[in-house]
Amino acid sequence: MQHVLHVPAYAALAWAWCWALGAWLRVPAAVAIVACAIASAYGVFDEWHQSFVPGRYASLADVTLDVAGAVLGVWLAAWISSRARIIKPQINTDTHG
């Protein structure tokens, strides 16, 4: 059951990186790539770290789930961002009202 938690955890991590990087990077593709890379790298290093912890082990399956979660998080951040742009309220410039 713990393996299932990798996807939402890394999706949240990647989404947070998208949100943070959006302040510095103006190209959405760059934000997505960097956020996904950072979250995925964190997953790889976390699994590597676990290989040194007694009673824990590194797992390629966990890394795969971490990367899948990062990709999902970046996709969700992009989707939410695109929806937010579509739903922006229109400014009423009518002065006769």
Side-chain angles (χ1 to χ4, degrees):
M1 181 65 180
Q2 283 182 316
H3 297 289
V4 177
L5 298 177
H6 284 256
V7 174
Y10 280 84
L13 179 62
W15 179 85
W17 273 110
C18 283
W19 179 76
L21 291 167
W24 288 287
L25 301 174
R26 297 294 176 212
V27 179
V31 170
I33 291 168
V34 173
C36 192
I38 291 171
S40 296
Y42 186 86
V44 169
F45 285 115
D46 186 47
E47 288 301 313
W48 177 71
H49 163 261
Q50 285 184 36
S51 70
F52 298 105
V53 177
R56 302 293 302 263
Y57 60 92
S59 164
L60 186 57
D62 286 352
V63 171
T64 302
L65 291 171
D66 297 343
V67 172
V71 170
L72 176 65
V74 166
W75 179 82
L76 284 172
W79 183 76
I80 290 168
S81 177
S82 71
R83 302 301 299 166
R85 276 179 279 188
I86 292 170
I87 300 173
K88 273 189 182 174
Q90 297 294 322
I91 298 173
N92 188 358
T93 58
D94 184 16
T95 58
H96 301 288

